[in-house]
Amino acid sequence: MQLLLERGFDGMTVDDVAEAAGVGKATIYRRWVSKEQLANDALADLFDIEIPDADTGSIEGDLRQVYTDALMFVNSKEGLALIRLAVSEANRDERSAAIYRAFLERRIQLTQAALDRALARGEPIRRTADPALMVQWLAGVFVIRALTGEPMPAPEDADRLLRFTLRCVMEEDSGPDPRPESDTVDG
């Protein structure tokens, strides 16, 4: 992952990975048949470590945990570097774009699973809740801020981002308005 962040996909070689790992190139190829698969697995492992799936017993708790972890990651040097790398590499190279699409697809699957668990518990989730949009809107915030040099939302912003998502995901008649006064149109 470090080589990928430092050099980009084209600049990273299997020889360099083998050398950094202290093994022969054949050892790398026994586990990964291509550099693309190696990079894909490295990214998936990094994201699974930094932003693990959450199963807290409620959709609100699950999203709060994932958002907090994601915000902590994008506010790290490695997280910001990865977002910038993803944008530049995905626009330049279809193989890199496929790697990042695979990561987003995994996140979408995890989000769908969280929605399914919430529905099974009887939480008032809209049946039209779109896990792809749930993942893409937050990723979009990260990409825009990385491109423009704006600071990433802080981990303390997780609840504010969560309220935005819940307004789109929860049934409208699911109880009192969860927005604090400062989030209302009049506040």
Side-chain angles (χ1 to χ4, degrees):
M1 196 60 233
Q2 189 62 40
L3 290 171
L4 191 60
L5 288 174
E6 288 173 1
R7 301 177 185 178
F9 182 76
D10 282 342
M12 178 192 82
T13 68
V14 174
D15 286 328
D16 293 336
V17 172
E19 182 181 325
V23 299
K25 186 173 166 179
T27 301
I28 301 296
Y29 279 117
R30 273 196 290 276
R31 182 156 182 201
W32 294 280
V33 296
S34 67
K35 184 171 90 167
E36 290 85 358
Q37 188 181 56
L38 173 63
N40 191 10
D41 285 355
L43 282 172
D45 287 349
L46 176 68
F47 282 111
D48 284 348
I49 291 167
E50 296 294 335
I51 311 169
D53 190 26
D55 187 357
T56 65
S58 73
I59 192 67
E60 183 175 348
D62 292 354
L63 291 174
R64 179 178 287 114
Q65 184 63 53
V66 169
Y67 283 19
T68 299
D69 291 343
L71 291 171
M72 289 174 55
F73 180 61
V74 299
N75 277 284
S76 71
K77 179 181 166 187
E78 295 81 15
L80 183 58
L82 182 59
I83 291 170
R84 288 182 174 152
L85 176 68
V87 170
S88 65
E89 293 286 316
N91 280 314
R92 189 187 61 71
D93 180 40
E94 177 53 35
R95 295 170 304 171
S96 295
I99 291 168
Y100 294 108
R101 278 195 306 273
F103 159 72
L104 288 173
E105 183 57 39
R106 175 158 164 64
R107 269 291 147 204
I108 291 165
Q109 291 170 358
L110 292 172
T111 302
Q112 181 65 61
L115 291 169
D116 292 344
R117 288 191 306 266
L119 283 167
R121 288 188 297 262
E123 293 184 59
I125 303 295
R126 293 176 197 243
R127 299 246 177 231
T128 58
D130 186 337
L133 287 177
M134 291 172 68
V135 170
Q136 291 166 350
W137 90 260
L138 188 58
V141 169
F142 297 157
V143 167
I144 291 295
R145 293 207 177 185
L147 286 173
T148 62
E150 286 184 69
M152 291 292 171
E156 297 78 33
D157 293 324
D159 281 340
R160 183 171 56 88
L161 298 173
L162 172 64
R163 285 191 304 272
F164 181 81
T165 301
L166 289 177
R167 283 186 213 131
C168 298
V169 171
M170 304 299 282
E171 290 289 344
E172 289 183 35
D173 61 348
S174 64
D177 188 346
R179 296 176 291 176
E181 210 171 286
S182 63
D183 274 3
T184 63
V185 174
D186 297 333

